[in-house]
Amino acid sequence: MAVVPVLRAATREDVPRIAALMRSSVLELFPRYHDERETASAADHLTVPDTVLIDDGTYFVHEAAGDVVACGGWSKRGKLFIGAEASPDDARPLDPATEPARVRAVFVRGDWTRRGLARSILDRCAAAARDEGFRSLRLLSTLPGEALYRAYGFRELDRLEVPMPDGVVLSGVEMEFTL
């Protein structure tokens, strides 16, 4: 019988497994879109779980047989993406009437892709943000995630060059989804 992953809110105890999943996902997927230096930078700077989302109850994991096989969440705070330099705006609560909620750090383990796990996380994020009065979701997609978000219904707002703390610049796509 196949193991069925369970979607649940992430806890602080999940942080090491979330970090490991993020890192393995970057190391597996980024080389298809980025060179060695960009992949290494992404593995260092985009794979640190944001515990604020966990504490807010807006970050989720799919767990299967004790393993975290997918993760992702949303935020009602100003920070747009993980790996960014700290900004005074990061912790600012967003105004649901005038600002979009953020989708943050969606990752799926390579052997669990194409099973609807990321889509179910996005569904949970959209429903929760809608329940809190938000009218849209915004995210900054890495190149490996762009196809997923387009298929879900996000539309491109802009192509950006995103500097990492080590000076490496990654290409990203700012996208939005109307709730």
Side-chain angles (χ1 to χ4, degrees):
M1 185 161 94
V3 175
V4 177
V6 174
L7 180 62
R8 63 171 176 77
T11 67
R12 286 281 185 132
E13 290 75 33
D14 294 319
V15 169
R17 295 183 302 154
I18 292 169
L21 167 62
M22 291 173 154
R23 185 168 178 78
S24 69
S25 180
V26 164
L27 292 173
E28 182 177 342
L29 297 176
F30 269 61
R32 298 177 197 165
Y33 299 87
H34 297 280
D35 67 26
E36 214 172 286
R37 187 168 173 251
E38 292 166 339
T39 298
S41 179
D44 286 344
H45 301 292
L46 299 183
T47 62
V48 179
D50 189 337
T51 56
V52 171
L53 301 180
I54 293 171
D55 293 343
D56 283 349
T58 61
Y59 201 74
F60 311 101
V61 295
H62 272 288
E63 187 175 31
D67 292 330
V68 171
V69 297
C71 60
W74 72 284
S75 178
K76 47 190 158 188
R77 300 179 186 274
K79 188 171 189 168
L80 181 58
F81 65 97
I82 198 163
E85 291 288 334
S87 159
D89 194 49
D90 286 354
R92 178 185 61 82
L94 298 169
D95 178 356
T98 61
E99 297 177 286
R102 315 295 197 215
V103 170
R104 300 270 308 281
V106 177
F107 293 87
V108 178
R109 201 168 81 184
D111 59 336
W112 282 86
T113 60
R114 318 290 286 160
R115 298 184 197 198
L117 302 182
R119 179 171 284 278
S120 71
I121 289 170
L122 292 172
D123 287 345
R124 176 77 61 93
C125 293
R130 190 180 302 109
D131 288 348
E132 292 212 20
F134 287 94
R135 299 176 186 164
S136 63
L137 298 171
R138 186 167 293 172
L139 58 81
L140 182 62
S141 176
T142 60
L143 297 182
E146 182 180 1
L148 162 71
Y149 298 120
R150 282 190 191 283
Y152 191 82
F154 280 82
R155 67 179 175 83
E156 181 177 325
L157 298 175
D158 200 6
R159 295 246 165 207
L160 303 172
E161 296 298 311
V162 182
M164 294 290 100
D166 59 5
V168 171
V169 177
L170 297 176
S171 296
V173 184
E174 188 173 13
M175 304 177 90
E176 190 165 71
F177 178 80
T178 301
L179 295 171

